[in-house]
Amino acid sequence: MDLGLKDKIVVVTGGGSGIGAAISMTLAEEGAIPVIYARRAPDDGFLAALTAKSPRAGWIKADLSLDEDCRRAVAQTHERWGQVYGLVNNAGANDGVGLDAGPEAFRASLNQNLIHYYTLVHLLMADLKALKGAIVNISSKTAVTGQGGTSAYVAAKAAQLGLTREWAAALAGDGVRVNAVIPAEVMTPLYRRWLDSMDDPEAQLAEITARIPLGQRMTLDTEMAATTVFALSERSAHTTGQWLFVDGGYTHLDRALSTLAPTT
């Protein structure tokens, strides 16, 4: 299936690792030109593989919590690549800022996980309107379930879902589509480090996967990427304002289920 993304510039924040890297690579495989915004250089092997599929792909160093870095990254993108068709707001991490952390830590966490979502849409809005482009916000199941001990991250992720609907409404008249993709349990390097901090990582992993109804397994980063890239594409031309859960049924199906009933 041709997704109609050939030679289109798509900014992917945090696009050099984890889910973001899978999105960047899938875009490259579809002929798009991913431009990664990240604080650190992506792995050399990853960059080599990415540019082998999309020779014009690249990355820009940026601390997205700083407005000036966001402005500089967008200016450099325009100078090197031209107008931007798509934006994947992905960068961020669950930093465990809970009720005991205090308001200063809460605000700082929102700056790391939320504010740049708005800032980049603001800065790229003229491009998106001109090209009738698309935005995908990567959120989290914690936005709708809560987690405990993660007030700031949950606030950011829930706000991203609200902004998805708000921006879809605000930009519909300009032909710009805005959707959110929501993971639950995806085995990224960050997730692996969290597991490895447990006394018995494999037992913890088994407990988690047992609660995922479809296949009792973690979601693959490539599955997250496939939905994200489809949502960016012309094949998803009449889909906007949607929250797309890619989680094996974890969020909305009974987590106590050990198997799904067979279909007939």
Side-chain angles (χ1 to χ4, degrees):
M1 180 184 293
D2 182 2
L3 296 182
L5 289 170
K6 184 173 173 56
D7 295 330
K8 291 186 175 178
I9 311 301
V10 180
V11 169
V12 185
T13 68
S17 62
I19 292 170
I23 292 169
S24 297
M25 190 63 72
T26 303
L27 282 166
E29 290 167 351
E30 291 296 329
I33 303 167
V35 178
I36 296 166
Y37 293 177
R39 284 182 291 183
R40 291 177 291 276
D43 177 80
D44 288 343
F46 168 76
L47 275 179
L50 186 70
T51 54
K53 295 180 182 297
S54 178
R56 292 185 62 206
W59 82 285
I60 294 173
K61 183 176 182 178
D63 180 346
L64 298 176
S65 69
L66 304 175
D67 291 349
E68 58 267 32
D69 271 28
C70 291
R71 293 190 188 97
R72 177 181 52 77
V74 168
Q76 290 178 358
T77 302
H78 286 153
E79 181 179 355
R80 179 175 171 185
W81 285 281
Q83 281 188 312
V84 172
Y85 164 82
L87 169 64
V88 180
N89 274 320
N90 166 73
N94 190 338
D95 49 19
V97 174
L99 284 167
D100 57 346
E104 290 183 358
F106 184 83
R107 290 190 188 95
S109 179
L110 292 183
N111 209 36
Q112 293 286 341
N113 285 308
L114 173 65
I115 305 303
H116 57 83
Y117 276 51
Y118 171 90
T119 303
L120 290 174
V121 172
H122 169 73
L123 293 171
L124 290 169
M125 186 165 53
D127 288 20
L128 293 163
K129 287 181 177 180
L131 298 180
K132 297 189 184 303
I135 300 164
V136 175
N137 295 321
I138 307 299
S139 183
S140 165
K141 66 102 167 54
T142 62
V144 296
T145 64
Q147 188 173 57
T150 58
S151 294
Y153 182 73
V154 168
K157 292 300 171 181
Q160 290 161 13
L161 294 183
L163 288 173
T164 297
R165 297 256 163 96
E166 164 61 17
W167 295 339
L171 297 172
D174 299 292
V176 177
R177 297 176 299 102
V178 189
N179 294 290
V181 174
I182 306 173
E185 311 297 337
V186 183
M187 188 58 75
T188 63
L190 188 63
Y191 198 104
R192 184 73 250 181
R193 287 196 293 274
W194 172 76
L195 272 179
D196 288 342
S197 72
M198 304 293 173
D199 291 335
D200 189 341
E202 295 314 306
Q204 182 70 34
L205 178 59
E207 182 180 338
I208 292 166
T209 55
R211 298 198 301 267
I212 300 173
L214 190 61
Q216 285 75 56
R217 67 170 178 84
M218 303 281 284
T219 303
L220 302 177
D221 56 4
T222 52
E223 291 168 330
M224 287 291 304
T227 299
T228 301
V229 172
F230 180 77
L232 288 168
S233 78
E234 294 177 357
R235 293 288 185 168
S236 185
H238 213 228
T239 300
T240 196
Q242 300 305 304
W243 302 347
L244 307 172
F245 288 83
V246 185
D247 65 355
Y250 182 87
T251 305
H252 290 105
L253 299 180
D254 183 354
R255 296 184 198 177
L257 289 174
S258 57
T259 59
L260 294 176
T263 58
T264 56

